[in-house]
């Protein structure tokens, strides 16, 4: 029954621009297995799948789960499949790629290779640019022909 609910959330996501599903429960009850069972085989031709974990040793590292998901995504992608994203990101991110690279080192192969140093803006303005860059990053994937499914696991 729970597997069907997650698969229905996937169908909703494929029919709209955004869907959020949360799986919660005590440690060890099989949340990761449930998500894996629901999503297994669902992705090859329908959407891009990225899975990241917030492992305990890396809890203190900001954005470690997202960085893990991006590493998973890139490890499963061919150079041919990355080319359209790379081109879109160059246009959508602009000069904010360094902000994303600093927070998400796994994205290095995907982001534009500009060596412009991070600007010396006040913290609030720099954070605002970071939020805009992250928003533009995810917009690139939602505008792409194949939607992205991002699964974050708290270990």
């Amino acid at each position: 029954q729970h597997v069907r609910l997650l698969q229905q959330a996937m169908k909703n996501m494929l029919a709209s621009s955004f869907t959020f599903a949360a799986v919660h429960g005590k440690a060890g009850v099989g949340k990761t297995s449930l998500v894996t069972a629901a999503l297994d085989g669902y992705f090859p031709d329908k959407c891009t799948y990225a899975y990241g974990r917030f492992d305990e040793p890396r809890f203190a590292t900001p954005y470690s789960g997202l960085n893990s998901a991006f590493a998973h995504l890139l490890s499963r992608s061919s150079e041919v499949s990355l080319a359209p994203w790379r081109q879109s990101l160059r246009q959508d991110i602009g000069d904010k790629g360094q902000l994303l690279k600093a927070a998400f080192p796994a994205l290095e192969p995907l982001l534009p290779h500009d060596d412009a140093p991070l600007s010396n803006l006040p913290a609030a303005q720099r954070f605002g640019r970071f939020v805009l860059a992250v928003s533009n990053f995810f917009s690139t994937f939602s505008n792409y022909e194949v939607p992205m499914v991002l699964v974050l696991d708290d270990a």
Side-chain angles (χ1 to χ4, degrees):
Q1 172 188 0
H2 296 300
V3 169
R4 283 194 305 271
L5 287 172
L6 283 175
Q7 288 175 336
Q8 184 60 48
M10 283 291 301
K11 289 177 185 172
N12 293 344
M13 185 269 310
L14 291 171
S16 67
S17 60
F18 178 81
T19 299
F20 176 81
V23 177
H24 62 89
K26 294 182 180 180
V29 297
K31 297 178 299 291
T32 301
S33 296
L34 171 69
V35 171
T36 302
L39 305 179
D40 187 37
Y42 209 88
F43 294 104
D45 59 343
K46 296 183 181 176
C47 54
T48 301
Y49 172 54
Y51 174 84
R53 289 183 69 102
F54 287 93
D55 290 326
E56 195 167 328
R58 293 183 283 169
F59 277 158
T61 304
Y63 312 114
S64 65
L66 280 173
N67 195 55
S68 169
F70 297 146
H72 175 256
L73 171 67
L74 294 177
S75 73
R76 299 179 57 226
S77 302
S78 69
E79 188 60 33
V80 172
S81 68
L82 293 178
W85 287 339
R86 191 175 288 117
Q87 183 176 353
S88 294
L89 285 170
R90 187 173 295 115
Q91 187 175 4
D92 297 343
I93 301 287
D95 63 351
K96 298 172 197 69
Q98 289 293 85
L99 290 168
L100 291 177
K101 288 178 192 179
F104 310 113
L107 291 177
E108 174 75 30
L110 191 57
L111 294 171
H113 294 287
D114 58 358
D115 292 328
L118 295 174
S119 60
N120 292 326
L121 295 172
Q125 287 181 328
R126 187 174 168 144
F127 182 71
R129 284 189 178 193
F130 173 72
V131 169
L132 180 61
V134 170
S135 175
N136 288 348
F137 177 83
F138 282 110
S139 291
T140 297
F141 287 97
S142 66
N143 288 331
Y144 193 63
E145 296 171 355
V146 180
M148 179 181 193
V149 173
L150 178 63
V151 176
L152 298 174
D153 191 341
D154 69 351

